[in-house]
Amino acid sequence: MSSFVSPDQIRDRFSQSMSAMYKTEVPQYGALLELVAQINQATLDAQPVLRQSLTEAGELHRLDVERHGAIRLGTPEELATMRRIFRVMGMFPVGYYDLSVAGVPVHATAFRPVSDEALRLNPFRVFTSLLRLELIADAGLREQARDILAKRRIFTDEALALTARFESDGGLTDAQADAFVREVTETFRWHSEATVSLDTYRQLHAAHRLVADVVSFKGPHINHLTPRTLDIDAAQAEMPRRGLAAKDVVEGPPRRRHPILLRQTSFKALEETIVFTQGGDAGSHTARFGEIEQRGMALTRKGRALYDQLLAQVRSMEGAGSAAADYGQRLAAAFADFPDEPEVLLDQALAFFRHHVADEAGFAARAASGTPFDLAALRRDGIVGARPIVYEDFLPVSAAGIFQSNLGGEEQKSYAANAAQAAFEQALGAPVADEIALYEASQAASVEALRVRYAELAGAGAR
Ligand code: OOG
Ligand code: NI
């Protein structure tokens, strides 16, 4: 007689709670949601085929609730505890992102649901970065930052107690789940009072704006919450008309008939008034921004390698990469080499697909005929169909672009590329999942389900 609320439901409540809080904290977020809802409605009205395919894939519902957020943590202990907290909500660390290459002294993972069913219900994800203090050159400042961070407590006692309760009891009751959501939301709240003096803030800021953002505050304020649009170019064009200062370029692949991976745009961070300790000096800080994304299909390792190669090709051209005036055209030209036909993407194993029976009678007849299971033949004859699997993760180059544009652009620190996945996982207290392996498993499970049904039908036919 389990009276526990499922982790999926807790996550759903939590994402709603975060969205409600962010709406009151950052009014432009409300404007962004409205814009995205209108564009999605117009896109669905104009493209009945898209509406139908989203409905068939069971994805239309999640579009309205789908958000991702981002936070930046200061210590390994914070990251390890965050992992336990996200687990209560059915969110697990997936992927490793090294942002040091892009001059941002953090590395990150994405906490997100992993099963197909959980993703359909509410795919809420949080891009979670950990500050890399070892990348601060000044040893004195590094130690000072470490001391400041060691003193803060970003979780409420009740949030920690309820997390321990979940771990020992195996779940939370309805009332406990509500309390958990309320308490954990506190961790992500914005605080306009810094925990440091203006002088210290300035020193941290000189090391890197991001160091100041993490070290000067009581907790890891949520810095954006991103809705998913079906047409990011329309959203990008509409943003300035609604007073949202969009960044110059859309990150990710170019516009295509069949979208791949992830395309993102954002508007600049807000200038916030901060009260510092000692004498109540006031100053300002930019931390929070707005972002919109459009998701396309997940790519195989081969497809991803092609994406990375084409993107690198455009970015390394003469004329400053994405700052080039004709970046959009260059991107589109380079990606002419990336097939834009679902059948080709499937046949060349560039993207992942979930397979399903498209013709029940034909499937049963084929099975009963004694023909061995042949996926390619079933597909060719229209008996089995394939729908692209949505990309549920992030892109390091895009993330770096988003970080940069919100750091004010002028921030150009460079660190040697030094991915440190083992150190990150040590801090996390667990390995991160390989995102491509998850898509692979999802595709394979859909084929296996067909194989099993085929065998059952063949058996029934033989009796
Ligand atoms: C995270 C930026 C990365 C994305 O969508 O790629 C990100 C941050 O600014 O903390 O959210
Ligand atoms: Ni984001």
Side-chain angles (χ1 to χ4, degrees):
M1 46 136 270
S2 152
S3 53
F4 292 146
V5 176
S6 76
D8 291 342
Q9 282 171 301
I10 303 177
R11 178 178 68 260
D12 192 39
R13 289 182 198 178
F14 179 69
S15 84
Q16 284 175 37
S17 165
M18 291 291 281
S19 190
M21 179 174 79
Y22 205 58
K23 223 180 266 180
T24 65
E25 288 184 345
V26 180
Q28 289 96 322
Y29 170 66
L32 199 64
L33 290 186
E34 207 167 286
L35 180 157
V36 168
Q38 286 166 3
I39 286 175
N40 286 355
Q41 190 59 51
T43 308
L44 290 169
D45 289 347
Q47 299 183 40
V49 176
L50 177 65
R51 180 192 290 274
Q52 192 188 342
S53 68
L54 285 169
T55 307
E56 283 169 4
E59 265 173 46
L60 199 56
H61 149 82
R62 77 174 230 188
L63 201 60
D64 293 335
V65 299
E66 180 158 358
R67 306 275 186 277
H68 86 248
I71 56 168
R72 303 155 183 172
L73 301 172
T75 68
E77 294 73 26
E78 290 175 1
L79 181 65
T81 304
M82 205 51 105
R83 176 173 76 88
R84 292 173 52 211
I85 285 182
F86 280 133
R87 198 173 76 117
V88 176
M89 303 187 251
M91 296 160 76
F92 304 92
V94 178
Y96 172 75
Y97 302 86
D98 170 29
L99 278 309
S100 67
V101 237
V104 182
V106 304
H107 45 184
T109 191
F111 285 95
R112 67 162 176 91
V114 292
S115 77
D116 291 350
E117 193 196 339
L119 286 163
R120 250 194 313 274
L121 186 85
N122 185 330
F124 188 59
R125 337 164 166 78
V126 179
F127 191 91
T128 303
S129 302
L130 176 64
L131 183 63
R132 298 178 71 177
L133 284 179
E134 74 274 16
L135 298 181
I136 299 182
D138 178 337
L141 188 66
R142 190 163 64 227
E143 286 323 303
Q144 191 184 356
R146 210 186 293 284
D147 286 348
I148 296 167
L149 287 170
K151 291 200 189 85
R152 73 177 189 178
R153 295 285 170 266
I154 66 171
F155 304 105
T156 70
D157 291 342
E158 199 173 349
L160 296 173
L162 286 164
T163 302
R165 189 47 107 74
F166 173 89
E167 289 165 351
S168 61
D169 296 3
L172 295 180
T173 64
D174 189 64
Q176 287 168 344
D178 280 341
F180 175 85
V181 165
R182 189 188 64 229
E183 294 294 318
V184 173
T185 302
E186 281 309 304
T187 294
F188 299 96
R189 189 181 289 288
W190 172 252
H191 298 281
S192 54
E193 314 83 40
T195 56
V196 300
S197 68
L198 179 55
D199 188 47
T200 303
Y201 174 84
R202 286 192 176 134
Q203 289 175 42
L204 295 167
H205 194 284
H208 198 292
R209 189 192 290 246
L210 216 93
V211 174
D213 183 57
V214 176
V215 179
S216 312
F217 296 93
K218 273 186 213 155
H221 37 261
I222 183 94
N223 65 44
H224 65 287
L225 217 46
T226 302
R228 176 175 167 196
T229 180
L230 295 172
D231 186 345
I232 199 159
D233 300 292
Q236 172 85 347
E238 186 60 23
M239 277 161 77
R241 282 182 219 132
R242 303 203 184 183
L244 304 168
K247 74 194 283 291
D248 300 331
V249 300
V250 173
E251 298 288 346
R255 186 178 185 85
R256 299 160 44 96
R257 278 195 300 126
H258 299 281
I260 51 170
L261 298 173
L262 176 65
R263 301 181 70 211
Q264 299 174 301
T265 184
S266 63
F267 61 79
K268 304 259 161 50
L270 308 179
E271 188 89 25
E272 331 243 12
T273 302
I274 307 293
V275 179
F276 293 95
T277 61
Q278 293 176 15
D281 282 328
S284 70
H285 176 70
T286 45
R288 300 181 301 164
F289 59 99
E291 184 190 44
I292 304 181
E293 67 188 13
Q294 178 172 6
R295 290 190 174 263
M297 55 188 111
L299 301 184
T300 61
R301 281 181 220 284
K302 183 180 164 198
R304 178 56 186 269
L306 180 57
Y307 170 79
D308 287 339
Q309 180 208 320
L310 295 176
L311 188 70
Q313 194 178 306
V314 181
R315 295 215 161 219
S316 63
M317 277 179 187
E318 297 290 306
S322 70
D326 61 346
Y327 178 70
Q329 283 100 297
R330 291 181 181 200
L331 192 66
F335 274 81
D337 288 342
F338 207 117
D340 196 5
E341 283 301 324
E343 299 72 36
V344 179
L345 292 165
L346 178 52
D347 288 340
Q348 296 188 5
L350 290 166
F352 287 114
F353 292 81
R354 225 170 257 129
H355 295 69
H356 64 277
V357 176
D359 168 6
E360 292 287 347
F363 191 74
R366 180 72 55 94
S369 73
T371 318
F373 182 83
D374 180 345
L375 186 62
L378 288 164
R379 259 185 40 223
R380 187 193 57 226
D381 298 340
I383 294 173
V384 162
R387 297 189 187 104
I389 296 180
V390 178
Y391 187 62
E392 306 285 355
D393 294 285
F394 296 87
L395 295 169
V397 175
S398 301
I402 300 280
F403 266 108
Q404 288 302 350
S405 73
N406 290 297
L407 291 171
E410 83 279 7
E411 189 94 19
Q412 281 303 344
K413 299 276 188 314
S414 55
Y415 304 102
N418 54 358
Q421 185 166 345
F424 185 84
E425 292 178 331
Q426 171 103 40
L428 185 66
V432 299
D434 171 357
E435 68 278 13
I436 297 192
L438 293 173
Y439 301 118
E440 233 156 36
S442 184
Q443 172 171 299
S446 74
V447 174
E448 189 50 30
L450 291 183
R451 197 189 299 278
V452 167
R453 274 194 60 204
Y454 194 87
E456 281 166 9
L457 289 164
R463 275 198 292 274

Short mmCIF file of all heavy atoms in Angstrom, two decimals, residues 352-392:
data_model
loop_
_atom_site.label_atom_id
_atom_site.label_comp_id
_atom_site.label_asym_id
_atom_site.label_seq_id
_atom_site.Cartn_x
_atom_site.Cartn_y
_atom_site.Cartn_z
N PHE A 352 18.93 8.96 -34.57
CA PHE A 352 18.23 7.86 -33.89
C PHE A 352 16.72 7.93 -34.13
O PHE A 352 16.14 9.02 -34.15
CB PHE A 352 18.48 7.93 -32.39
CG PHE A 352 19.88 7.52 -32.01
CD1 PHE A 352 20.77 8.43 -31.46
CD2 PHE A 352 20.31 6.21 -32.20
CE1 PHE A 352 22.06 8.05 -31.11
CE2 PHE A 352 21.60 5.81 -31.85
CZ PHE A 352 22.48 6.74 -31.30
N PHE A 353 16.12 6.76 -34.27
CA PHE A 353 14.68 6.68 -34.52
C PHE A 353 14.04 5.61 -33.63
O PHE A 353 14.65 4.59 -33.34
CB PHE A 353 14.42 6.31 -35.99
CG PHE A 353 14.81 7.39 -36.95
CD1 PHE A 353 16.14 7.56 -37.33
CD2 PHE A 353 13.86 8.27 -37.46
CE1 PHE A 353 16.51 8.56 -38.21
CE2 PHE A 353 14.22 9.28 -38.34
CZ PHE A 353 15.55 9.43 -38.72
N ARG A 354 12.80 5.87 -33.25
CA ARG A 354 12.01 4.87 -32.56
C ARG A 354 11.11 4.21 -33.62
O ARG A 354 10.46 4.93 -34.38
CB ARG A 354 11.14 5.57 -31.50
CG ARG A 354 11.13 4.89 -30.18
CD ARG A 354 10.46 5.75 -29.12
NE ARG A 354 11.45 6.38 -28.27
CZ ARG A 354 11.50 7.67 -28.00
NH1 ARG A 354 10.62 8.50 -28.52
NH2 ARG A 354 12.43 8.13 -27.20
N HIS A 355 11.12 2.91 -33.64
CA HIS A 355 10.34 2.19 -34.66
C HIS A 355 8.99 1.78 -34.10
O HIS A 355 8.86 1.46 -32.93
CB HIS A 355 11.12 0.96 -35.14
CG HIS A 355 12.39 1.31 -35.85
ND1 HIS A 355 13.48 1.86 -35.21
CD2 HIS A 355 12.74 1.24 -37.16
CE1 HIS A 355 14.45 2.09 -36.08
NE2 HIS A 355 14.03 1.71 -37.29
N HIS A 356 7.98 1.78 -34.98
CA HIS A 356 6.63 1.38 -34.55
C HIS A 356 5.91 0.70 -35.70
O HIS A 356 6.30 0.85 -36.87
CB HIS A 356 5.84 2.61 -34.08
CG HIS A 356 5.60 3.58 -35.20
ND1 HIS A 356 6.54 4.51 -35.59
CD2 HIS A 356 4.54 3.74 -36.05
CE1 HIS A 356 6.06 5.23 -36.62
NE2 HIS A 356 4.86 4.76 -36.92
N VAL A 357 4.85 -0.04 -35.37
CA VAL A 357 4.07 -0.69 -36.42
C VAL A 357 3.18 0.36 -37.07
O VAL A 357 2.40 1.03 -36.39
CB VAL A 357 3.21 -1.83 -35.84
CG1 VAL A 357 2.32 -2.43 -36.94
CG2 VAL A 357 4.09 -2.90 -35.22
N ALA A 358 3.31 0.53 -38.37
CA ALA A 358 2.51 1.53 -39.08
C ALA A 358 1.28 0.87 -39.70
O ALA A 358 0.28 1.51 -39.96
CB ALA A 358 3.34 2.21 -40.15
N ASP A 359 1.39 -0.42 -39.95
CA ASP A 359 0.30 -1.16 -40.62
C ASP A 359 0.11 -2.48 -39.86
O ASP A 359 0.82 -3.45 -40.10
CB ASP A 359 0.71 -1.37 -42.09
CG ASP A 359 -0.19 -2.35 -42.82
OD1 ASP A 359 -1.21 -2.81 -42.25
OD2 ASP A 359 0.13 -2.68 -43.99
N GLU A 360 -0.87 -2.47 -38.96
CA GLU A 360 -1.08 -3.63 -38.07
C GLU A 360 -1.39 -4.90 -38.85
O GLU A 360 -0.82 -5.96 -38.60
CB GLU A 360 -2.23 -3.34 -37.08
CG GLU A 360 -1.94 -2.26 -36.04
CD GLU A 360 -0.96 -2.74 -34.95
OE1 GLU A 360 -0.70 -3.96 -34.86
OE2 GLU A 360 -0.45 -1.86 -34.23
N ALA A 361 -2.31 -4.78 -39.79
CA ALA A 361 -2.73 -5.97 -40.54
C ALA A 361 -1.56 -6.53 -41.35
O ALA A 361 -1.33 -7.75 -41.38
CB ALA A 361 -3.90 -5.61 -41.46
N GLY A 362 -0.82 -5.63 -41.96
CA GLY A 362 0.33 -6.05 -42.76
C GLY A 362 1.39 -6.73 -41.89
O GLY A 362 2.00 -7.72 -42.28
N PHE A 363 1.56 -6.19 -40.68
CA PHE A 363 2.56 -6.74 -39.75
C PHE A 363 2.17 -8.16 -39.34
O PHE A 363 2.97 -9.09 -39.37
CB PHE A 363 2.64 -5.82 -38.52
CG PHE A 363 3.78 -6.09 -37.59
CD1 PHE A 363 5.09 -5.74 -37.93
CD2 PHE A 363 3.57 -6.69 -36.34
CE1 PHE A 363 6.15 -5.97 -37.06
CE2 PHE A 363 4.63 -6.93 -35.46
CZ PHE A 363 5.92 -6.56 -35.83
N ALA A 364 0.87 -8.33 -39.01
CA ALA A 364 0.38 -9.65 -38.60
C ALA A 364 0.48 -10.65 -39.75
O ALA A 364 0.89 -11.80 -39.56
CB ALA A 364 -1.07 -9.52 -38.10
N ALA A 365 0.13 -10.18 -40.93
CA ALA A 365 0.16 -11.08 -42.10
C ALA A 365 1.58 -11.52 -42.40
O ALA A 365 1.85 -12.70 -42.67
CB ALA A 365 -0.45 -10.37 -43.31
N ARG A 366 2.51 -10.55 -42.35
CA ARG A 366 3.91 -10.87 -42.64
C ARG A 366 4.45 -11.88 -41.62
O ARG A 366 5.14 -12.84 -41.98
CB ARG A 366 4.74 -9.59 -42.63
CG ARG A 366 6.22 -9.72 -42.92
CD ARG A 366 6.54 -10.04 -44.37
NE ARG A 366 5.97 -9.09 -45.32
CZ ARG A 366 6.60 -8.03 -45.80
NH1 ARG A 366 7.84 -7.79 -45.46
NH2 ARG A 366 6.01 -7.23 -46.67
N ALA A 367 4.10 -11.65 -40.34
CA ALA A 367 4.57 -12.56 -39.30
C ALA A 367 3.99 -13.97 -39.52
O ALA A 367 4.70 -14.98 -39.43
CB ALA A 367 4.18 -12.02 -37.92
N ALA A 368 2.70 -14.01 -39.82
CA ALA A 368 2.03 -15.30 -39.98
C ALA A 368 2.53 -16.06 -41.20
O ALA A 368 2.44 -17.29 -41.26
CB ALA A 368 0.51 -15.09 -40.08
N SER A 369 3.09 -15.32 -42.17
CA SER A 369 3.55 -15.97 -43.41
C SER A 369 4.80 -16.81 -43.21
O SER A 369 5.24 -17.52 -44.10
CB SER A 369 3.82 -14.91 -44.48
OG SER A 369 5.03 -14.22 -44.17
N GLY A 370 5.41 -16.68 -42.02
CA GLY A 370 6.61 -17.46 -41.76
C GLY A 370 7.90 -16.77 -42.21
O GLY A 370 8.98 -17.31 -42.03
N THR A 371 7.79 -15.57 -42.80
CA THR A 371 8.98 -14.82 -43.19
C THR A 371 9.75 -14.40 -41.94
O THR A 371 9.13 -13.89 -41.01
CB THR A 371 8.58 -13.54 -43.95
OG1 THR A 371 7.52 -13.85 -44.85
CG2 THR A 371 9.75 -12.92 -44.68
N PRO A 372 11.05 -14.61 -41.91
CA PRO A 372 11.81 -14.14 -40.74
C PRO A 372 11.72 -12.62 -40.59
O PRO A 372 11.52 -11.92 -41.59
CB PRO A 372 13.25 -14.56 -41.03
CG PRO A 372 13.18 -15.53 -42.16
CD PRO A 372 11.91 -15.28 -42.90
N PHE A 373 11.86 -12.15 -39.36
CA PHE A 373 11.81 -10.71 -39.06
C PHE A 373 12.91 -9.98 -39.82
O PHE A 373 14.09 -10.30 -39.66
CB PHE A 373 11.97 -10.51 -37.54
CG PHE A 373 11.89 -9.08 -37.11
CD1 PHE A 373 10.66 -8.47 -36.90
CD2 PHE A 373 13.04 -8.33 -36.86
CE1 PHE A 373 10.57 -7.15 -36.48
CE2 PHE A 373 12.97 -7.01 -36.44
CZ PHE A 373 11.72 -6.42 -36.26
N ASP A 374 12.53 -9.03 -40.65
CA ASP A 374 13.51 -8.28 -41.44
C ASP A 374 13.13 -6.80 -41.38
O ASP A 374 12.23 -6.35 -42.10
CB ASP A 374 13.51 -8.82 -42.88
CG ASP A 374 14.51 -8.07 -43.78
OD1 ASP A 374 14.99 -6.98 -43.39
OD2 ASP A 374 14.80 -8.59 -44.88
N LEU A 375 13.79 -6.08 -40.51
CA LEU A 375 13.42 -4.69 -40.25
C LEU A 375 13.46 -3.84 -41.50
O LEU A 375 12.53 -3.07 -41.78
CB LEU A 375 14.34 -4.10 -39.17
CG LEU A 375 13.97 -2.70 -38.68
CD1 LEU A 375 12.60 -2.68 -38.02
CD2 LEU A 375 15.02 -2.17 -37.71
N ALA A 376 14.52 -3.99 -42.28
CA ALA A 376 14.67 -3.16 -43.48
C ALA A 376 13.52 -3.41 -44.45
O ALA A 376 12.95 -2.48 -45.02
CB ALA A 376 16.01 -3.43 -44.15
N ALA A 377 13.15 -4.68 -44.60
CA ALA A 377 12.07 -5.02 -45.52
C ALA A 377 10.73 -4.48 -45.00
O ALA A 377 9.92 -3.95 -45.75
CB ALA A 377 12.00 -6.54 -45.70
N LEU A 378 10.51 -4.62 -43.71
CA LEU A 378 9.26 -4.13 -43.12
C LEU A 378 9.14 -2.61 -43.30
O LEU A 378 8.07 -2.08 -43.56
CB LEU A 378 9.20 -4.49 -41.63
CG LEU A 378 8.97 -5.98 -41.33
CD1 LEU A 378 9.32 -6.30 -39.88
CD2 LEU A 378 7.52 -6.37 -41.64
N ARG A 379 10.27 -1.94 -43.17
CA ARG A 379 10.26 -0.48 -43.35
C ARG A 379 10.02 -0.12 -44.80
O ARG A 379 9.21 0.76 -45.12
CB ARG A 379 11.61 0.09 -42.90
CG ARG A 379 11.56 0.70 -41.52
CD ARG A 379 12.87 1.36 -41.15
NE ARG A 379 13.46 2.07 -42.27
CZ ARG A 379 14.76 2.03 -42.56
NH1 ARG A 379 15.58 1.31 -41.83
NH2 ARG A 379 15.23 2.70 -43.58
N ARG A 380 10.70 -0.81 -45.67
CA ARG A 380 10.59 -0.53 -47.10
C ARG A 380 9.14 -0.71 -47.57
O ARG A 380 8.62 0.04 -48.37
CB ARG A 380 11.52 -1.49 -47.86
CG ARG A 380 11.64 -1.20 -49.36
CD ARG A 380 12.29 -2.37 -50.05
NE ARG A 380 11.54 -3.61 -49.82
CZ ARG A 380 12.09 -4.78 -49.49
NH1 ARG A 380 13.38 -4.91 -49.36
NH2 ARG A 380 11.32 -5.85 -49.29
N ASP A 381 8.46 -1.69 -46.98
CA ASP A 381 7.08 -1.97 -47.39
C ASP A 381 6.07 -1.14 -46.61
O ASP A 381 4.86 -1.37 -46.72
CB ASP A 381 6.80 -3.47 -47.23
CG ASP A 381 7.71 -4.31 -48.13
OD1 ASP A 381 8.25 -3.74 -49.11
OD2 ASP A 381 7.90 -5.50 -47.85
N GLY A 382 6.54 -0.22 -45.79
CA GLY A 382 5.62 0.69 -45.09
C GLY A 382 4.88 0.03 -43.94
O GLY A 382 3.91 0.57 -43.41
N ILE A 383 5.32 -1.15 -43.51
CA ILE A 383 4.65 -1.87 -42.42
C ILE A 383 5.16 -1.36 -41.08
O ILE A 383 4.43 -1.26 -40.11
CB ILE A 383 4.87 -3.39 -42.58
CG1 ILE A 383 4.17 -3.87 -43.86
CG2 ILE A 383 4.38 -4.15 -41.36
CD1 ILE A 383 4.46 -5.31 -44.22
N VAL A 384 6.42 -1.02 -41.06
CA VAL A 384 7.03 -0.43 -39.86
C VAL A 384 7.46 1.01 -40.19
O VAL A 384 8.00 1.26 -41.26
CB VAL A 384 8.24 -1.27 -39.38
CG1 VAL A 384 9.14 -0.48 -38.44
CG2 VAL A 384 7.75 -2.55 -38.69
N GLY A 385 7.15 1.92 -39.28
CA GLY A 385 7.55 3.32 -39.45
C GLY A 385 8.61 3.68 -38.43
O GLY A 385 8.84 2.94 -37.47
N ALA A 386 9.26 4.82 -38.65
CA ALA A 386 10.31 5.26 -37.71
C ALA A 386 10.12 6.74 -37.43
O ALA A 386 9.95 7.54 -38.35
CB ALA A 386 11.68 4.99 -38.32
N ARG A 387 10.11 7.09 -36.15
CA ARG A 387 10.01 8.51 -35.78
C ARG A 387 11.30 8.94 -35.09
O ARG A 387 11.81 8.23 -34.23
CB ARG A 387 8.88 8.72 -34.76
CG ARG A 387 7.51 8.37 -35.26
CD ARG A 387 6.45 8.83 -34.27
NE ARG A 387 5.16 8.33 -34.69
CZ ARG A 387 4.53 7.31 -34.13
NH1 ARG A 387 5.05 6.69 -33.09
NH2 ARG A 387 3.38 6.90 -34.60
N PRO A 388 11.80 10.12 -35.44
CA PRO A 388 13.04 10.59 -34.84
C PRO A 388 12.93 10.68 -33.32
O PRO A 388 11.87 11.03 -32.79
CB PRO A 388 13.24 11.97 -35.43
CG PRO A 388 12.18 12.18 -36.45
CD PRO A 388 11.22 11.05 -36.42
N ILE A 389 14.01 10.38 -32.64
CA ILE A 389 14.07 10.54 -31.18
C ILE A 389 14.57 11.96 -30.88
O ILE A 389 15.55 12.41 -31.47
CB ILE A 389 15.03 9.49 -30.57
CG1 ILE A 389 14.47 8.08 -30.83
CG2 ILE A 389 15.24 9.75 -29.08
CD1 ILE A 389 15.33 6.94 -30.27
N VAL A 390 13.87 12.64 -30.01
CA VAL A 390 14.22 14.03 -29.69
C VAL A 390 15.55 14.10 -28.93
O VAL A 390 15.80 13.29 -28.03
CB VAL A 390 13.14 14.67 -28.79
CG1 VAL A 390 13.52 16.11 -28.43
CG2 VAL A 390 11.80 14.64 -29.48
N TYR A 391 16.37 15.08 -29.28
CA TYR A 391 17.62 15.32 -28.55
C TYR A 391 17.27 15.97 -27.22
O TYR A 391 16.62 17.02 -27.18
CB TYR A 391 18.53 16.23 -29.37
CG TYR A 391 19.91 16.40 -28.77
CD1 TYR A 391 20.75 15.30 -28.61
CD2 TYR A 391 20.36 17.64 -28.36
CE1 TYR A 391 22.02 15.44 -28.06
CE2 TYR A 391 21.63 17.79 -27.80
CZ TYR A 391 22.45 16.68 -27.65
OH TYR A 391 23.70 16.83 -27.10
N GLU A 392 17.68 15.36 -26.12
CA GLU A 392 17.28 15.82 -24.79
C GLU A 392 18.42 16.53 -24.06
O GLU A 392 18.28 16.87 -22.89
CB GLU A 392 16.83 14.63 -23.93
CG GLU A 392 15.74 13.77 -24.55
CD GLU A 392 14.36 14.42 -24.50
OE1 GLU A 392 14.22 15.51 -23.90
OE2 GLU A 392 13.42 13.83 -25.08
#
